[in-house]
């Protein structure tokens, strides 16, 4: 598992992966944060394609081309807004990761890069969200060969350290 998951500190729009994931909103028509950065780097063609998709429910995912991005595809998913944690947020966040990986499998995407979904504007606490993200990715990769590799892209050093610590914790607990 250790060689199929990589945690990096980077700007996801610069990444050369087969697909990058966008933490979008239900309109799929762009926004701030990583969504804004992806639309800006991909160019207006991405918005044109997104307009045809009819939005996306929270926890679901839809795929488009990557246009001017170094990645071939963008998988758009809509994370839950944090409302205290007892409004289904953990299940919805887990669904985001799972549905993105199911699309990656369908499209034979070998390298898939995720940002930290919901932990920016949507306010999901990073400590809790990172555990869900990692557990869901580990669970999926255990049963599937594609995607071969998942890259988790952290934007801040703080987030990077939390993901690394929790990843090591999960790997250690798996060995025992
Ligand atoms: N590369 C990698 N990660 C990034 C980048 C980047 N270029 N830019 C920001 N992040 P957010 P959300 C990190 O707010 O919480 C949008 O308006 C950021 O530091 O982008 O799911 C959408 O349209 C944070 O760790 O997404 C929605 O309305 C993570 O990406 C709403 O925000 C997610 O933060 C979605 O909110």
């Amino acid at each position: 598992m250790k060689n199929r998951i990589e945690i990096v500190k980077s700007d996801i729009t610069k990444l050369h992966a087969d697909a990058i994931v966008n933490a979008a909103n239900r309109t799929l028509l762009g926004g701030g944060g990583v969504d804004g950065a992806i639309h800006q780097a991909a160019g207006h063609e991405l918005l044109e394609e997104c307009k045809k998709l009819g939005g996306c429910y929270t926890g679901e995912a839809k795929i488009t081309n990557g246009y001017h991005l170094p990645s071939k595809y963008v998988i758009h998913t809509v994370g839950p807004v944090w409302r205290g944690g007892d409004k289904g947020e953990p299940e919805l966040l887990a669904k985001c990761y799972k549905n993105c990986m199911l699309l990656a499998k369908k499209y034979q995407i070998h390298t898939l890069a995720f940002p930290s979904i919901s932990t920016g504007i949507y306010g999901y606490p990073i400590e809790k969200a990172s555990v869900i993200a990692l557990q869901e990715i580990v669970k999926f990769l255990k049963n599937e060969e594609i995607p071969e590799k998942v890259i988790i892209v952290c934007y801040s050093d703080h987030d990077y350290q939390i993901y690394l610590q929790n990843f090591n914790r999960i790997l250690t607990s798996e060995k025992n």
Side-chain angles (χ1 to χ4, degrees), residues 10-13 23-25 30-35 37 115-123 153 155 159:
S10 183
D11 175 347
I12 203 166
T13 64
N25 59 60
V34 72
D35 193 8
S116 180
I117 299 164
S118 280
T119 65
I121 292 164
Y122 280 179
V153 184
Y155 206 45
D159 291 358

Side-chain angles (χ1 to χ4, degrees), residues 100-159:
C100 288
M101 290 182 287
L102 282 170
L103 271 180
K105 183 185 168 188
K106 186 171 170 190
Y107 282 78
Q108 296 286 298
I109 286 162
H110 290 269
T111 312
L112 175 67
F114 280 105
S116 180
I117 299 164
S118 280
T119 65
I121 292 164
Y122 280 179
Y124 209 119
I126 182 78
E127 183 66 48
K128 290 184 168 63
S130 61
V131 172
I132 292 171
L134 288 160
Q135 282 175 340
E136 207 56 34
I137 293 166
V138 167
K139 189 164 76 182
F140 194 91
L141 295 188
K142 268 189 184 167
N143 297 313
E144 303 288 348
E145 284 174 6
I146 296 177
E148 264 164 40
K149 182 153 199 173
V150 170
I151 304 167
I152 299 172
V153 184
C154 300
Y155 206 45
S156 71
D157 198 48
H158 174 253
D159 291 358

Side-chain angles (χ1 to χ4, degrees), residues 49-117:
E49 188 177 352
C50 284
K51 281 180 186 166
K52 297 177 192 148
L53 298 178
C56 182
Y57 291 114
T58 304
E60 302 295 323
K62 293 192 176 176
I63 191 164
T64 65
N65 290 308
Y67 299 99
H68 301 287
L69 287 163
S71 304
K72 185 170 182 210
Y73 296 108
V74 179
I75 297 178
H76 307 260
T77 190
V78 184
V81 175
W82 178 256
R83 292 197 171 89
D86 56 0
K87 305 281 188 300
E89 296 94 325
E91 294 77 13
L92 287 167
L93 187 62
K95 265 184 78 182
C96 287
Y97 284 94
K98 185 176 179 184
N99 283 324
C100 288
M101 290 182 287
L102 282 170
L103 271 180
K105 183 185 168 188
K106 186 171 170 190
Y107 282 78
Q108 296 286 298
I109 286 162
H110 290 269
T111 312
L112 175 67
F114 280 105
S116 180
I117 299 164

